[in-house]
């Protein structure tokens, strides 16, 4: 059994957890020197969480492979109940009612639901009777994703809600038409372009694109007129509704985040103000990373880290500490490790013989990847501020525990793939 | 396609991240991290600026404390502007303007808000300072002058400006820097090195310890004290004598090249350029375009040297072997250049080297000069030889002193005349005025003094310098201790020096003899012109005198140049005699000379060309 574990993935996982803890140690170190295992310190706690995660790995390894598949529905329902239970019993941390207080640690059920949703989706899709080309089945599959999303959103935890979207990759892999993705991207693009340039310019641009299309298309290609008109009108309606949504549905802080990200604010003094308030985190994180230069300032030598200039640095902004203390060498290394890690997981997923394992694998990859993408993208200033942790790196017990469990359940499937018939 | 979708997304994300990170960490990275880091506060510890002493160990410049009000714009909170302005003695508009400027320089680094408070202002402000967050008082030391003299020699210091900050990374806003004179030349030694402490701060701007445990902190390095070669007594006395006169005086110790005095008239009290009134006073001095007190005539004025230059022509002629000391020329109360007669004041008759010099006979030197050129086939060749001899006395080029400014003077060469008249379109008659130190030759007073020192040394000089000792190190740069030999052999000097001695015994300076001191000198009376309303107008001659003493064992060589002082034996000669006596004896026996010089001014002479009315020059009575 142990010999069949994919040790390369385990090694990369170990590297990430180890390097993550090193950085947590640096960001949460205070002057009074305490033992590494002292759980009154954050780094001590994280070490404790790492131990719990290791225990969870052992448990997963001894549990029967079919357990997870068989009980995936149960997990899913249990997860939904836990999410619902938050509304009366949840503990508020950082303005979001997302935690259960277990005494020794705070448990964030949305982390558990991520695993459960990935399992449930895989289970549903791998069912012999499910046909992804069937619109009704597509709808059910999407429902599996949307229910937890809608429960997480009002906590409010838009970051975690966003993560569930990643599960769509599983659907794409299993045959959901790619143009769904195209439509989603088109929608996002329309939204952003309208914010940046206004509806009129978007309409003009759209008109030019359509004209170009007609100009270059093969003469014998017949374009059905009705869908084209629907497409254009649809785009315009979306574009027209953007301002309404932006002004009325979004809250001011969201507007500010978008404004900062897209450089919408032209007034210099207001921009300065935004940078100091809503953009403060991003600004400080970027500056901290920048100040690391190529070689970094050295372990425990990050001045901005020591001075606590980057808020939430041990959780969501942990990557800025890597940037400051380890420089470009450190950040590039982390990116390379993550990239190798993900590519390896895709490779493993593709070699699964059972559809369930492959689909679950894709779910794991998609969830981890979107965390990685949004977190680092936000810290280095490419994306607006969305608070989700960096897998294996950020401080946090539930996060680490469930990311680990999620990954090792997949590795367990992989390790036992040769024993099973189809 | 669907199998590759995720892998390609992973790779695209990786590349995008690496691109952004290299933009941040490789391209935007500024190497000046410590100063830009909001987490590090830099605290400076300024050492006291080094004292300046004269050659005898007398203090010239010390220090006094001063207090600057500094501001770190980022840290300021809203405050009662009016009350604060009242305390600082500032207008509100001024205050706002200065705050803006400070913010533009850097929101994080301290800028000076009000410079150099007096002790009284400081005392009253200090108690209330804690109310104003982001402002603090920085103690600095200002110069404290023990002498009223030598303003141009010592130079002044002032706050660094934006250019300094850009070009020299050592300085930060509000620091002081030497601008002219010794202060500029020996800035690095005098200034010392400020100590730096880096303090780690948190985002609430609280100190949380030393940055890197103080590994990068430095202790201040004291400014070194400097001994200069100036003789305080001589300098002060010289400036006293220059009262009401414009011109420059340089005295050099011939056997070392040390500058004993460097006097420029008019001058000013160096104390004017210290403290809060500094910029007002500076403007007043700097824009006085008539008297130009900040223009150091002793090293920057370039008059024609006049008759003292004859001694060099005599030496060149002796070296070339075209005359002997006994060689005679007849003076027809002047001499002829073609059909034009040029005048001479010597009284006429037959002149040899000796009487040619002590009577300053123009005809004798015109003849001598012609002979130098006559030795060579072409004027060009003669010109080259003559130029070589003259330049070997340190004329016609920068001397290489350790003063921050200077002028080259001029020894015209053939290229110069070719340019002025055209190649082949000039001959020795065009340049004959150079024989008597008029015409195109020009020299600064320090060059004249140095030339005199070379004669006193019988053929060599040391590069004039003003530094005697930096800190405990009295060994100088070898360029100041190496002899620079002239092209004239030693034996040719004796007849010329004898003649210069006779200038005092029988010649143009016989009224200026000092009992007990044997002086060799040479007067000069230099015609000069200016332009008034575009017309070339001759002004009263400049009075020039060079001398060294004692003749046999020279202790001092000097050149005195007094603008429009008429005969060399008048103002320049008097001043030279008095300075020599003061330096060698320490007291003045010829009090009649002293009285005359202390009382007489030339202001009436300087007013003439500005009066707008017709005026007479070279008036006999004085």
């Amino acid at each position: 059994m142990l010999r069949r574990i994919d040790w390369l993935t385990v090694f990369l996982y170990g590297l990430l957890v180890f390097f993550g803890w090193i950085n947590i140690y640096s960001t949460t170190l205070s002057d009074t020197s305490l033992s590494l295992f002292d759980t009154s310190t954050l780094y001590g706690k994280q070490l404790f969480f790492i131990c719990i995660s290791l225990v969870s790995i052992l448990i997963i390894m001894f549990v029967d492979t079919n357990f997870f598949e068989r009980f995936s529905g149960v997990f899913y329902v249990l997860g939904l109940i836990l999410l619902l239970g938050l509304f009366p019993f949840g503990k508020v941390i950082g303005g979001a009612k997302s935690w259960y207080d277990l005494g020794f640690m705070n448990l964030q059920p949305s982390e558990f639901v991520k695993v459960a949703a990935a399992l449930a989706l895989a289970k549903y899709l791998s069912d012999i009777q499910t046909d992804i080309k069937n619109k009704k089945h597509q709808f059910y599959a999407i429902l599996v994703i949307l229910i937890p999303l809608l429960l997480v959103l009002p906590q409010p935890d838009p970051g975690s809600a966003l993560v569930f979207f990643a599960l769509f990759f599983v659907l794409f892999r299993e045959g959901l038409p790619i143009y769904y993705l195209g439509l989603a991207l088109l929608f996002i693009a329309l939204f952003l372009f309208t914010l940046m340039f206004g509806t009129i310019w978007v309409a003009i641009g759209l008109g030019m694109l359509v004209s170009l299309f007609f100009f270059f298309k093969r003469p014998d290609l017949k374009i059905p007129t009705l869908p084209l008109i629907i497409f254009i009108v649809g785009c315009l309606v979306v574009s027209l509704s953007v301002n309404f949504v932006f002004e009325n549905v979004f809250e001011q802080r969201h507007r500010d985040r978008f404004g900062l990200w897209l450089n919408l604010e032209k007034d210099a003094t207001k921009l300065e103000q935004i940078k100091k308030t809503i953009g403060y985190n991003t600004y400080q994180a970027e500056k901290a990373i920048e100040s690391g230069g190529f070689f970094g300032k050295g372990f425990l030598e990050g001045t901005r880290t020591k001075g606590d200039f980057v808020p939430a640095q041990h959780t969501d902004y942990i990557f800025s500490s890597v940037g400051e203390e380890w420089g470009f060498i450190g950040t590039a290394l982390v990116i390379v490790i993550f990239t190798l890690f993900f590519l390896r997981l895709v490779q493993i997923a593709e070699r699964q013989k059972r559809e369930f394992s492959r689909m679950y694998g894709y779910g794991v990859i998609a969830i981890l990847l979107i965390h990685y993408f949004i977190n680092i993208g936000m810290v280095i200033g490419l994306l607006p501020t969305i608070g989700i942790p960096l897998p294996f790196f950020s401080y946090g017990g539930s996060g680490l525990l469930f990311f680990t469990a999620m990954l090792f359940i997949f590795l367990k499937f992989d390790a036992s793939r040769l024993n099973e018939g189809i | 396609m669907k199998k590759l979708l995720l892998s390609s997304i992973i790779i695209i994300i990786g590349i995008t991240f690496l691109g952004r990170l290299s933009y941040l960490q490789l391209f935007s990275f500024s190497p000046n991290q410590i100063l830009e880091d909001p987490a590090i506060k830099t605290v400076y510890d300024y050492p006291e600026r080094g004292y300046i002493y004269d050659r005898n160990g007398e203090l010239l410049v010390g220090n006094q404390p001063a207090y600057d009000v500094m501001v770190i714009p980022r840290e300021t909170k809203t405050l009662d502007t009016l009350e604060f302005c009242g305390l600082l003695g500032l207008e509100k508009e001024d205050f706002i303007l200065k705050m803006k400027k400070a913010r533009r320089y850097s929101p994080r680094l301290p800028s000076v808000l009000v410079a150099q408070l007096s002790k009284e202002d400081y005392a009253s402000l200090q108690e209330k300072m804690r109310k104003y967050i982001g402002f603090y008082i920085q103690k600095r030391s200002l110069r404290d002058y023990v002498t009223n003299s030598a303003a141009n020699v010592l130079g002044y210091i002032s706050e660094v400006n934006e250019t300094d900050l850009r070009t020299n990374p050592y300085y930060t806003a509000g620091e002081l820097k030497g601008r002219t004179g010794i202060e500029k030349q020996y800035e690095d030694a005098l200034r010392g090195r400020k100590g730096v402490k880096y303090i780690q701060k948190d985002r609430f701007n609280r100190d949380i310890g030393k940055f890197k445990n103080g590994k990068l902190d430095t202790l201040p390095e004291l400014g070194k004290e400097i001994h200069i070669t100036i003789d305080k007594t001589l300098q002060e006395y010289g400036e006293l004598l220059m009262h009401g006169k414009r011109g420059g005086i340089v005295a050099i110790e011939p056997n070392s090249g040390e500058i004993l005095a460097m006097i420029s008239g008019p001058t000013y009290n160096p104390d004017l350029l210290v403290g809060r009134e500094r910029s007002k006073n500076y403007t007043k001095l700097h824009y006085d375009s008539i008297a130009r007190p900040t223009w150091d005539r002793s090293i920057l004025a370039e008059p024609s040297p006049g008759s003292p230059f004859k001694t060099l022509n005599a030496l060149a002629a002796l070296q070339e072997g075209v005359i002997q000391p006994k060689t005679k020329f007849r003076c027809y109360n002047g001499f002829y250049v073609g059909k034009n007669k040029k005048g001479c004041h010597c009284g006429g008759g037959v002149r040899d080297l000796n009487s040619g010099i002590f009577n300053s006979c123009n005809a004798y030197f015109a003849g001598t000069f012609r002979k130098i050129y006559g030795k060579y086939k072409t004027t060009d060749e003669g010109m080259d030889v003559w130029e070589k001899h003259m330049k070997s006395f340190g004329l016609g080029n920068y001397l290489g002193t350790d003063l921050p400014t200077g002028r080259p003077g001029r020894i015209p060469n053939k290229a110069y005349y070719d340019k002025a008249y055209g190649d082949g379109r000039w001959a020795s008659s065009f340049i004959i005025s150079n024989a008597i130190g008029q015409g195109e030759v020009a020299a600064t007073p320090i060059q004249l003094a140095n030339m005199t020192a070379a004669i006193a040394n019988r053929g060599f000089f040391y590069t004039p310098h003003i530094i005697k000792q930096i800190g405990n190190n009295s060994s100088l740069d070898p360029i100041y201790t190496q002899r620079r030999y002239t092209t004239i052999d030693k034996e040719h000097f004796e007849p010329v020096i004898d003649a210069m001695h006779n200038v005092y015994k029988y010649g143009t300076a016989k009224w200026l003899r000092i009992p007990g001191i044997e002086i060799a000198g040479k007067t000069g009376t230099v015609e000069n012109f200016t332009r008034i309303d575009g017309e070339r107008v001759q002004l009263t001659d400049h009075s020039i005198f060079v001398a060294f003493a004692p003749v046999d064992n020279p202790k001092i060589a000097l050149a005195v140049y007094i603008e429009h002082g008429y005969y060399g034996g008048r103002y320049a000669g008097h001043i030279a005699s008095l300075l020599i006596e003061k330096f060698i004896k320490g007291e003045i026996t010829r009090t009649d000379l002293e009285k005359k010089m202390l009382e007489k001014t030339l202001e009436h002479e300087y007013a003439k060309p500005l009066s707008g009315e017709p005026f007479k020059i070279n008036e006999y009575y004085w």
Side-chain angles (χ1 to χ4, degrees):
Chain A
M1 182 74 199
L2 278 183
R3 269 184 300 157
R4 299 227 189 92
I5 287 279
D6 188 66
W7 285 106
L8 176 60
T9 312
V10 176
F11 172 69
L12 294 172
Y13 161 83
L15 272 186
L16 290 172
V17 171
F18 172 71
F19 197 41
W21 184 80
I22 290 278
N23 282 288
I24 289 169
Y25 179 74
S26 175
T27 50
T28 58
L29 184 68
S30 55
D31 284 339
T32 44
S33 59
L34 296 159
S35 148
L36 287 186
F37 295 93
D38 191 322
T39 47
S40 69
T41 62
L42 292 179
Y43 57 84
K45 275 188 186 165
Q46 183 72 5
L47 206 56
F48 171 67
F49 296 144
I50 291 176
C51 294
I52 291 189
S53 301
L54 293 179
V55 171
S56 80
I57 293 174
L58 285 179
I59 295 172
I60 288 166
M61 285 301 144
F62 284 108
V63 169
D64 182 60
T65 316
N66 292 324
F67 172 79
F68 298 104
E69 185 178 357
R70 203 167 297 146
F71 287 92
S72 55
V74 179
F75 290 145
Y76 185 69
V77 174
L78 182 68
L80 294 186
I81 292 170
L82 282 174
L83 284 182
L84 282 169
L86 280 176
F87 290 101
F89 305 115
K91 180 184 176 188
V92 177
I93 296 179
K97 213 173 186 186
S98 312
W99 278 270
Y100 283 113
D101 191 350
L102 297 187
F104 65 99
M105 71 183 281
N106 293 315
L107 186 86
Q108 196 176 6
S110 57
E111 302 290 350
F112 169 69
V113 178
K114 286 171 194 169
V115 189
L119 283 169
L121 185 64
K123 172 78 179 165
Y124 176 71
L125 288 178
S126 62
D127 193 302
I128 198 89
Q129 300 191 349
T130 307
D131 175 13
I132 192 71
K133 305 287 185 221
N134 183 321
K135 288 271 187 289
K136 195 171 124 193
H137 292 169
Q138 283 177 9
F139 175 73
Y140 286 139
I142 291 174
L143 214 56
V144 172
I145 299 172
L146 282 186
I147 293 172
L149 189 155
L150 291 173
L151 287 174
V152 168
L153 197 57
Q155 290 178 352
D157 188 358
S160 293
L162 205 55
V163 169
F164 288 99
F165 275 116
L167 289 173
F168 274 89
F169 275 106
V170 182
L171 301 183
F172 291 129
R173 172 62 184 82
E174 298 310 322
L176 190 71
I178 278 292
Y179 71 78
Y180 280 45
L181 182 64
L183 274 181
L185 289 178
L186 178 74
F187 183 82
I188 295 173
L190 272 175
F191 186 83
L192 295 180
F193 280 126
T194 308
L195 277 183
M196 286 164 88
F197 307 113
T199 307
I200 301 215
W201 282 106
V202 167
I204 292 172
L206 210 59
M208 283 168 72
L209 277 177
V210 171
S211 323
L212 275 177
F213 176 68
F214 275 99
F215 188 76
F216 283 110
K217 80 178 177 71
R218 291 203 307 275
D220 57 339
L221 187 67
K222 288 278 176 282
I223 301 291
T225 328
L226 190 64
L228 186 70
I229 291 173
I230 292 175
F231 170 74
I232 291 176
V233 171
C235 285
L236 290 179
V237 168
V238 168
S239 180
L240 283 169
S241 63
V242 163
N243 276 324
F244 176 79
V245 171
F246 192 65
E247 295 299 334
N248 297 296
V249 178
F250 277 31
E251 288 173 32
Q252 183 59 40
R253 57 202 178 97
H254 300 132
R255 281 197 285 275
D256 285 340
R257 284 174 185 183
F258 271 94
L260 189 69
W261 182 43
L262 299 176
N263 280 327
L264 293 184
E265 191 58 68
K266 297 290 176 240
D267 186 348
T269 48
K270 267 193 187 166
L271 188 67
E272 199 64 24
Q273 196 57 35
I274 290 179
K275 270 190 182 169
K276 276 190 182 160
T277 52
I278 196 82
Y280 179 80
N281 290 25
T282 310
Y283 177 75
Q284 290 295 348
E286 261 181 59
K287 279 287 170 192
I289 292 173
E290 189 187 306
S291 72
F294 186 76
F295 295 105
K297 296 177 186 169
F299 181 48
L300 299 183
E301 298 288 354
T303 51
R304 293 168 198 249
T305 297
K306 274 192 193 171
D308 269 344
F309 277 75
V310 187
Q313 200 181 16
H314 60 292
T315 58
D316 293 353
Y317 284 87
I318 188 73
F319 193 64
S320 66
S321 161
V322 181
E324 187 182 20
E325 300 198 338
W326 302 89
F328 183 70
I329 295 177
T331 54
L333 191 69
V334 170
I335 302 295
V336 168
I337 293 177
F338 264 116
T339 304
L340 289 178
F341 176 75
F342 287 127
L343 289 176
R344 178 67 182 166
L345 285 183
V346 172
Q347 204 185 5
I348 294 174
E350 287 297 340
R351 77 183 179 197
Q352 298 307 310
K353 293 183 179 141
R354 298 174 62 211
E355 283 194 334
F356 173 78
S357 304
R358 183 181 68 216
M359 290 172 197
Y360 174 70
Y362 262 83
V364 172
I365 298 166
I367 288 173
L368 292 176
L369 183 66
I370 200 165
H371 277 94
Y372 154 81
F373 172 65
I374 290 179
N375 179 281
I376 295 188
M378 160 189 83
V379 174
I380 63 183
L382 287 176
L383 294 173
T385 311
I386 300 165
I388 57 176
L390 184 58
F392 313 126
F393 249 76
S394 290
Y395 172 83
S398 344
L400 182 64
L401 179 62
F402 288 109
F403 286 134
T404 305
M406 195 192 297
L407 175 68
F408 278 87
I409 290 172
F410 178 50
L411 290 184
K412 163 95 178 169
F413 290 166
D414 177 55
S416 45
R417 72 184 190 278
L418 295 177
N419 294 343
E420 296 153 355
I422 297 172
Chain B
M1 165 71 190
K2 56 189 184 181
K3 285 184 187 173
L4 290 179
L5 180 68
L6 203 52
S7 301
S8 15
I9 289 176
I10 292 166
I11 290 171
I12 290 168
I13 291 174
I15 290 171
T16 314
F17 282 179
L18 288 178
R20 172 68 177 174
L21 286 167
S22 43
Y23 168 76
L24 285 176
Q25 299 188 292
L26 307 183
F27 296 108
S28 309
F29 177 72
S30 112
N32 212 357
Q33 281 299 324
I34 288 190
L35 289 180
E36 287 171 11
D37 197 333
I40 301 171
K41 183 162 84 177
T42 314
V43 178
Y44 295 118
D45 189 353
Y46 291 100
E48 208 180 345
R49 201 173 170 86
Y51 284 26
I52 303 177
Y53 296 90
D54 88 336
R55 64 185 293 111
N56 302 316
E58 291 227 31
L59 184 61
L60 295 172
V61 188
N63 291 317
Q64 57 187 340
Y67 306 91
D68 286 357
V69 180
M70 309 291 290
V71 59
I72 300 176
R74 205 176 82 110
E75 291 171 12
T76 53
K77 301 260 157 63
T78 41
L79 63 137
D80 185 341
T81 314
L82 275 182
E83 189 195 24
F84 195 46
C85 287
L87 281 170
L88 297 173
L90 270 181
E91 295 294 320
K92 192 181 165 196
E93 289 73 32
D94 264 2
F95 175 78
I96 292 169
L97 205 72
K98 284 182 171 198
M99 286 295 289
K100 223 177 244 171
K101 209 173 150 196
R103 193 172 287 279
R104 204 177 54 220
Y105 166 59
S106 164
R108 272 197 296 281
L109 299 179
S111 295
V112 180
L113 191 67
V114 180
Q116 299 163 8
L117 291 177
S118 66
K119 273 176 214 161
E120 298 78 50
D121 289 348
Y122 166 67
S124 63
L125 191 60
Q126 194 197 17
E127 295 170 13
K128 294 175 184 152
M129 216 49 207
R130 65 182 63 222
K131 240 168 79 182
Y132 303 102
I133 296 154
F135 299 85
Y136 66 95
I137 294 178
Q138 169 87 53
K139 188 181 164 193
R140 290 185 202 287
S141 75
L142 285 189
R143 283 315 211 183
D144 186 17
Y145 292 94
V146 183
T147 174
N148 293 334
S149 316
N152 282 321
V153 180
L154 297 169
Y156 64 91
I157 55 178
S158 71
E159 209 179 301
V160 288
N161 56 33
E162 283 166 33
T163 318
D164 296 319
L165 292 172
R166 242 192 342 270
T167 52
N168 190 334
Y170 174 84
Y171 297 102
T172 58
E175 291 179 15
L176 298 166
K177 180 177 188 239
R179 293 291 174 193
T180 59
I182 304 280
E183 300 276 20
K184 179 178 182 186
Q185 187 75 20
Y186 293 101
E187 163 74 8
D188 287 348
L190 288 169
R191 182 190 65 207
R193 273 201 101 69
K194 63 190 169 209
V196 185
K197 269 184 229 151
Y198 297 108
I199 296 173
Q200 169 82 50
K201 303 211 291 184
D202 68 4
R203 71 196 149 110
F204 304 108
N205 208 12
R206 296 174 301 211
D207 296 354
I208 54 173
K210 288 179 176 173
F211 173 56
K212 294 206 173 190
N213 285 322
K215 218 186 292 171
L216 298 176
D217 295 0
T218 52
L219 287 172
E221 209 174 279
L222 282 179
K224 293 196 175 85
E225 57 183 43
I226 279 188
H227 290 256
I228 58 175
T229 60
I230 295 290
D231 183 307
K232 186 182 176 207
T233 324
L234 191 67
Q235 178 81 21
E236 283 175 355
Y237 185 60
E239 289 191 12
L240 214 58
L241 297 176
M242 281 300 274
H243 158 70
K245 306 160 194 80
R246 294 180 194 164
I249 303 171
V250 174
I252 293 175
E253 186 178 64
N255 61 23
S256 65
E258 292 178 356
I259 299 170
L260 299 169
M262 230 174 80
I263 296 149
S264 175
T267 182
Y268 57 93
N269 187 338
D271 221 22
L272 289 176
L273 295 187
V274 175
R276 280 186 100 171
E277 299 293 303
R278 199 199 83 82
S279 67
K280 209 161 81 188
N281 291 333
Y282 181 77
T283 312
K284 217 188 273 176
L285 292 171
H286 188 69
Y287 289 100
D288 183 353
S289 59
I290 294 168
R292 301 180 72 183
T294 57
W295 187 56
D296 191 340
R297 285 165 169 81
S298 61
I299 46 176
L300 297 176
E302 295 172 287
S304 291
S307 303
F309 196 65
K310 288 172 181 169
T311 55
L312 293 199
N313 278 326
L315 286 166
L318 289 169
Q319 177 70 24
E320 289 298 314
V322 294
I323 59 165
Q324 299 300 316
K326 295 279 169 272
T327 307
K328 291 184 172 58
F329 293 91
R330 174 166 288 280
C331 178
Y332 307 96
N333 286 319
F335 59 95
Y336 290 90
V337 179
K339 282 177 185 157
N340 297 327
K341 184 177 178 180
K342 303 225 170 178
C344 176
H345 303 285
C346 77
V350 177
R351 299 287 180 206
D352 62 3
L353 178 69
N354 190 14
S355 63
I357 287 178
F358 76 69
N359 285 321
S360 198
C361 176
N362 290 348
Y364 177 86
F365 283 98
T368 306
F369 194 66
R370 282 192 182 115
K371 282 209 167 198
I372 298 175
Y373 280 79
K375 184 181 169 187
Y376 297 94
K377 278 197 196 107
T378 63
T379 314
D380 276 2
E381 273 176 75
M383 193 86 210
D384 285 343
V385 171
W386 179 78
E387 184 195 351
K388 180 192 76 188
H389 288 312
M390 297 304 126
K391 285 198 165 166
S392 76
F393 282 85
L395 301 175
N397 205 344
Y398 293 100
L399 261 178
T401 62
D402 58 344
L403 299 161
T405 76
R407 292 293 304 163
R410 190 191 307 117
I411 294 296
N413 56 15
K414 56 189 189 212
Y416 179 85
Y417 288 109
D418 284 346
K419 202 177 166 207
Y421 300 111
D423 196 4
R425 297 176 64 98
W426 56 277
S428 64
S429 61
F430 282 65
I431 57 175
I432 194 77
S433 297
N434 293 329
I436 57 171
Q438 294 278 167
E440 286 75 24
V441 289
T444 60
I446 194 169
Q447 285 177 319
L448 292 177
N450 180 58
M451 164 197 109
T452 312
I455 296 171
N457 285 336
R458 279 80 170 163
F460 65 87
F461 65 90
Y462 298 95
T463 304
H465 53 276
I466 199 150
I467 193 69
K468 199 164 172 66
Q469 191 178 330
I470 300 177
N472 295 322
N473 179 11
S474 56
S475 64
L476 295 179
D477 191 321
I479 60 168
Y480 302 125
T481 53
Q482 269 163 12
R483 289 180 178 190
R484 287 164 68 177
Y485 281 92
T486 64
T487 50
I488 311 296
D489 293 339
K490 196 176 174 193
E491 69 263 22
H492 299 306
F493 282 92
E494 283 315 323
V496 173
I497 289 171
D498 274 347
M500 288 173 76
H501 193 186
N502 286 337
V503 169
Y504 265 89
K505 281 184 178 159
Y506 319 110
T508 45
K510 60 186 167 195
W511 308 111
L512 302 172
R513 262 179 287 180
I514 306 288
I517 305 177
E518 298 300 321
I519 308 178
K522 183 72 196 82
T523 55
T525 307
V526 181
E527 289 183 359
N528 63 93
F529 301 88
T530 188
R531 284 192 179 274
I532 299 179
D533 299 334
E535 237 176 279
R536 190 166 188 258
V537 179
Q538 186 171 9
L539 298 179
T540 298
D541 298 342
H542 292 320
S543 175
I544 291 190
F545 201 95
V546 302
F548 63 89
V551 174
D552 295 328
N553 179 23
K555 293 258 184 285
I556 180 171
L558 52 71
V560 182
Y561 151 67
I562 304 295
E563 288 179 13
H564 312 306
Y566 201 18
Y567 282 120
R570 284 192 179 175
Y571 286 93
H574 280 67
I575 292 173
S577 287
L578 289 166
L579 286 175
I580 288 171
E581 186 176 22
K582 185 81 176 177
F583 184 70
I584 290 177
K585 285 192 184 166
E587 54 172 3
I588 299 299
T589 49
R590 295 281 309 267
T591 46
D592 55 333
L593 290 187
E594 184 180 43
K595 188 159 177 284
K596 210 185 247 176
M597 274 306 105
L598 291 177
E599 282 170 2
K600 276 195 179 300
T601 81
L602 282 163
E603 295 298 351
H604 63 283
E605 199 66 60
Y606 302 137
K608 279 178 186 175
L610 301 172
S611 64
E613 286 165 25
F615 55 87
K616 283 185 180 167
I617 61 164
N618 292 347
E619 287 168 297
Y620 184 74
Y621 296 101
W622 69 300

